[in-house]
Amino acid sequence: MIRNKHRSTAAIYLTSDVVATLLAFVAAWYLRFRVGAVRETLETSFGALADSPDFDRYLILLPIVLVAWPIVFYFHGLYQMRRGRSRVDEMSTVVLAVVLATLLLSVFTAWYRPPGAPRPDGTFEPFTYSRSFLALFGGLDLLLVGAGRESIRAALKRLRLSGRNLRRILIIGAGALGQEITRKLVDHRDLGFQVIGLLDDDPAKGSQSYHGAPVLGRVDDVQQVLDQHEIDQVFIALPLEAHRKMMRVLEIVGRECIEVRLVPDILQYATLKATLEDLDGTPVINLSQVPLQGWKSLAKRLMDIAIAAAALLVLLPFFPLVAYLIKREDGGPIFYRQERMGLDGKPFMILKFRSMKVGAESSTGPVWAIEDDPRRTRVGRWLRKWSLDELPQLWNVLKGEMSIIGPRPERPAFVQEFKHQIPQYMLRHRVKSGITGWAQVHGWRGTTSI
């Protein structure tokens, strides 16, 4: 049943992609060789163009396109039906597939040269396919395939919201993890999931209902529930200590043509992105993965540089005024440098406008600033009220020690204390510290609950 539904949906997407590609091919030829405005634009950019060939010349390529495109799309996973797949994920895959298929077609047309116009000696000039046609075809194909898939997605959403094309879901485990999965499935009705019920061995949950889904019995009743309710998919959301129970459920469900999803309990403790790695054939879940890597890290760094540089240019004329006010009050230093712990636990010197009296911690050692701190200077009160003392940290951002957005860096002495008191406190050091973050936009600073 599930396989048939998958094949039907995949066939709809395949038909849409083929029709879109066919329309893009014809439209690209028409625009390139029959629309005068397009031809004039191309001639202005690239010089004189060859005479318009007959469509039959390009029709030779169409069977190759209609075979190659579905194959490339298939191997990019575009016909593996997965509910809940994001638009961004699907469209980025479509872009990659279309670009690759168009490049393969370009390679073929560069190699394949059918005979063209006759020469005076009776031989024929080799015919050359238009590169601008191939570019138009790739661009139009991307637009039309994307539009077709978006239309199918919208139609399926309406269908599922109306109560049709639903997957009947059974959740094994009614604990916190099972309840969370139930809530998410119920909240996203447009994905077409219908939670039939849950199974759990806790007697106190036997008569309970979670987000409209009842507890249908014990875990050992799984075979009976599968038979009675025509379940399409099973989510196993059992705690780690229920390993034997989980294996028994997998054995029973494995006898049926039912999809199985495992929700590992350990991932609920991982607040950062986990990755699946391979150790000589053994899958290993990495819970210490750095959230930003590769191009994402580069994009964030470029954004930090752009924002910090622009902010410094705008604010630089005001810095001398602030410096003058600080210096005028007590003659002490303008800037205050303090050791903080940043990415990967490496210390760095944070830069701030000085808002405290000189030697404010000489007798107390490292302590947190408090509201109406008596150690503040008169100018410092104003600077801290508006968080202007943090502005020199734009220089820390340009140096790569901090980011614009991220968890505020703490002093090493406090880190040593907090890491033993607050679960997973050190996770904050897997990303760069920031000038501002989630706590700061909620108005929290100083003596606030960590």
Side-chain angles (χ1 to χ4, degrees), residues 69 72-73 75-76 94-107:
W69 255 244
V72 173
F73 278 35
F75 282 106
H76 275 78
V94 168
V95 170
L96 290 175
V98 170
V99 169
L100 176 59
T102 305
L103 287 175
L104 292 175
L105 183 63
S106 301
V107 171

Side-chain angles (χ1 to χ4, degrees), residues 183-327:
R183 182 187 65 79
K184 291 184 177 181
L185 292 175
V186 171
D187 287 347
H188 294 281
R189 292 179 52 245
D190 56 301
L191 299 179
F193 293 117
Q194 180 184 11
V195 181
I196 301 302
L198 304 90
L199 297 180
D200 198 281
D201 286 341
D202 186 352
K205 297 176 181 175
S207 58
Q208 297 293 321
S209 178
Y210 300 100
H211 307 286
V215 176
L216 301 175
R218 297 174 57 83
V219 174
D220 290 338
D221 300 329
V222 58
Q223 184 66 64
Q224 180 182 352
V225 174
L226 293 178
D227 295 338
Q228 289 180 352
H229 296 275
E230 299 180 356
I231 301 298
D232 295 320
Q233 194 171 112
V234 171
F235 278 78
I236 300 179
L238 293 171
L240 288 174
E241 58 268 19
H243 178 74
R244 291 184 180 179
K245 196 180 299 184
M246 186 185 305
M247 298 307 296
R248 188 166 67 252
V249 170
L250 287 172
E251 181 182 356
I252 296 173
V253 177
R255 302 172 191 155
E256 310 291 337
C257 294
I258 294 174
E259 292 185 348
V260 182
R261 298 287 186 271
L262 178 63
V263 186
D265 184 44
I266 191 171
L267 292 187
Q268 69 179 318
Y269 300 108
T271 58
L272 297 180
K273 182 180 178 182
T275 57
L276 185 64
E277 300 175 352
D278 179 86
L279 180 62
D280 194 22
T282 300
V284 178
I285 297 176
N286 182 0
L287 299 181
S288 303
Q289 183 71 18
V290 177
L292 290 178
Q293 289 185 328
W295 70 269
K296 293 180 180 179
S297 176
L298 176 62
K300 192 171 192 298
R301 179 61 184 147
L302 292 176
M303 186 181 297
D304 284 340
I305 293 174
I307 294 175
L312 279 174
L313 285 175
V314 173
L315 297 171
L316 202 56
F318 300 97
F319 280 16
L321 175 60
V322 176
Y324 170 74
L325 294 174
I326 295 173
K327 195 73 174 177

Side-chain angles (χ1 to χ4, degrees), residues 369-374 376 447:
I370 61 175
E371 189 175 357
D372 297 326
D373 199 312
R376 293 178 302 172
T447 52

